[in-house]
């Protein structure tokens, strides 16, 4: 990536450093603009995790998920994946440690991790950076896409391995 | 929507903490989380400023417009509301390419610039446009095809074939992205 960008700029004889600094300055102010958003978001996620609400929710939906053939152990990870990337990685490594990366579960969560995204984080940062509060059908669409990805991962893992 | 979501998360946290008696933990989590957020921002200040700088170089050299010309037909189908000349197309292309390559740090600044450009064309500054919804839904459907960090984690836990999940991962990603496009297209028609 570096080589391509700088190489292309060198061929086109662009003032690289001037433009780099200009862009970096803008990046700087962008981060400062999204910083309060991020603080608010991470506080909400942090308190939710500490309160034990997620475990409670997982406990509630687990029997149902098990009934439809969804691996129970992957429920917390699937949920956390939508909320926090670092927490999801922690849970992923936990599964690798207890079940091994080459188990069915290990393969399934690997595939699932690659086709899902931290919905709440992305949505807050992007929309709040331009001060949009009415997000219409975005959340529904994102959850639908992630749900489709999780189901697809399960079916693909079942049929391939 | 986001206001409700945020208040809802905190509300649920407080109610559940009341039941489980974890008020102390919740208070601590609020403080640690805000500290973590600032630490994350400090890291991002460096990495994202660097990528924004490189992006500007790529923009000035014409690399980004060359790439976005290649993607133009697909992007015009996805974002029919945006005028052809809009700079949003450039940033959307950059964001998509960076996402596909798994360069999250490079994707975010381009994505934020794309939102900014789309917001300039938005008549109602508080409400998301169809293009914004489409962009966000695609973005959150995961576009990443190169998942090196996952392979690294698997290797770390002694997988006999750490990269075997790349193919299935790509397949699943295509499904989720197709679902995203279908959903957004159907909803914008009904709206």
């Amino acid at each position: 990536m570096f080589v391509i960008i700088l190489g292309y700029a060198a061929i086109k004889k662009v003032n690289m450093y001037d433009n780099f600094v200009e862009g970096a300055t803008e990046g700087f102010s962008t981060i400062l603009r999204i910083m309060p958003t991020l603080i608010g978001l991470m506080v909400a996620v942090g308190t939710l995790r500490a309160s034990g609400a997620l475990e409670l929710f997982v406990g509630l939906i687990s029997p149902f998920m098990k009934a439809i053939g969804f691996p129970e152990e992957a429920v917390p990870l699937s949920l956390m994946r939508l909320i926090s990337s670092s927490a999801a990685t922690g849970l992923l490594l936990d599964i690798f440690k207890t079940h091994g990366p080459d188990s069915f579960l290990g393969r399934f969560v690997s595939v699932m991790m690659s086709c899902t995204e931290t919905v709440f984080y992305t949505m807050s940062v992007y929309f709040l950076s331009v001060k949009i509060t009415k997000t219409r059908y975005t959340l529904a669409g994102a959850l639908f896409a992630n749900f489709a990805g999780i189901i697809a991962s399960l079916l693909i893992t079942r049929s391939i391995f | 929507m986001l206001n409700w979501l945020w208040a809802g998360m905190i509300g649920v946290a407080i109610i559940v903490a009341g039941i489980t008696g974890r008020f102390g933990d919740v208070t601590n989590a609020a403080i640690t989380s805000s500290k973590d957020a600032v630490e994350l921002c400090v890291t991002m200040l460096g990495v994202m400023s660097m990528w924004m700088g490189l992006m500007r170089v790529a923009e000035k050299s014409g690399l980004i417009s060359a790439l976005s010309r290649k993607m133009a037909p697909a992007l015009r189908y996805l974002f029919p509301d945006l005028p052809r000349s809009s700079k949003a197309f450039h940033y959307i292309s950059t964001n998509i390419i960076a996402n596909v390559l798994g360069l999250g740090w490079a994707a975010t600044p381009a994505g934020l610039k794309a939102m900014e450009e789309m917001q300039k064309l938005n008549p109602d500054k508080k409400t998301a446009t169809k293009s914004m919804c489409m962009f966000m839904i695609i973005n959150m459907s995961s576009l990443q095809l190169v998942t090196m960090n996952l392979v690294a984690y698997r290797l770390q836990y002694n997988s006999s074939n750490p990269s075997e999940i790349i193919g299935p991962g790509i397949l699943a990603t295509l499904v989720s992205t197709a679902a995203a496009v279908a959903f957004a297209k159907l909803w914008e028609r009904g709206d």
Side-chain angles (χ1 to χ4, degrees), chain A residues 8 19-20 22 26 35 40 42 48 50-51 101-102 107 110 114 117 130 132-136 141 146, chain B residues 1 6 9 13 20 22 33 41 50 53 56 61 113 119 126 128 132 140 142 154 159-160 164 173 183 191:
Chain A
Y8 196 84
N19 284 307
F20 179 87
E22 209 182 294
E26 207 179 315
M35 200 159 154
M42 287 180 68
L48 201 62
S51 72
D102 295 331
R107 283 168 171 156
S110 305
S114 53
E117 193 67 60
V130 289
I132 282 191
T133 48
K134 294 198 177 79
T135 57
R136 297 167 73 195
N146 277 273
Chain B
M1 184 78 215
W6 191 78
M9 281 165 89
T20 55
R22 290 206 214 163
S33 305
C41 284
M50 191 264 298
R56 179 61 59 91
S61 69
K113 294 287 285 178
Q119 179 72 323
K126 288 228 168 289
M132 287 176 176
M140 291 186 284
S142 171
R154 289 170 57 82
S159 167
S160 57
E164 68 184 358
T173 303
F183 184 99
D191 229 48

Side-chain angles (χ1 to χ4, degrees), chain B residues 4-69:
Chain B
W4 283 108
L5 205 62
W6 191 78
M9 281 165 89
I10 303 250
V12 170
I14 292 172
I15 292 166
V16 177
I19 301 167
T20 55
R22 290 206 214 163
F23 270 123
D25 292 343
V26 170
T27 316
N28 277 336
I31 296 164
T32 346
S33 305
S34 52
K35 210 181 79 202
D36 289 348
V38 175
E39 268 165 29
L40 178 67
C41 284
V42 172
T43 316
M44 287 211 301
L45 269 178
V47 188
M48 268 183 42
S49 299
M50 191 264 298
W51 278 114
M52 289 282 260
L54 274 181
M55 222 171 67
R56 179 61 59 91
V57 175
E59 202 182 312
K60 283 278 144 83
S61 69
L63 183 62
I64 290 182
S65 21
L67 286 172
S68 72
R69 260 199 304 279

Side-chain angles (χ1 to χ4, degrees), chain A residues 1-17, chain B residues 54 57-64:
Chain A
M1 199 82 170
F2 273 89
V3 180
I4 298 170
I5 291 175
L6 296 179
Y8 196 84
I11 296 167
K12 297 275 172 181
K13 296 195 173 60
V14 174
N15 288 330
M16 284 186 248
Y17 195 50
Chain B
L54 274 181
V57 175
E59 202 182 312
K60 283 278 144 83
S61 69
L63 183 62
I64 290 182

Side-chain angles (χ1 to χ4, degrees), chain B residues 92-108:
Chain B
I92 292 173
S93 320
T94 315
N95 172 272
I96 291 178
I97 292 164
N99 262 324
V100 167
L101 296 175
L103 301 167
W105 290 108
T108 309

Side-chain angles (χ1 to χ4, degrees), chain A residues 126-145:
Chain A
Y126 279 51
F127 274 129
L128 291 177
S129 78
V130 289
K131 298 194 169 58
I132 282 191
T133 48
K134 294 198 177 79
T135 57
R136 297 167 73 195
Y137 50 89
T138 310
L139 181 63
L143 291 178
F144 175 74

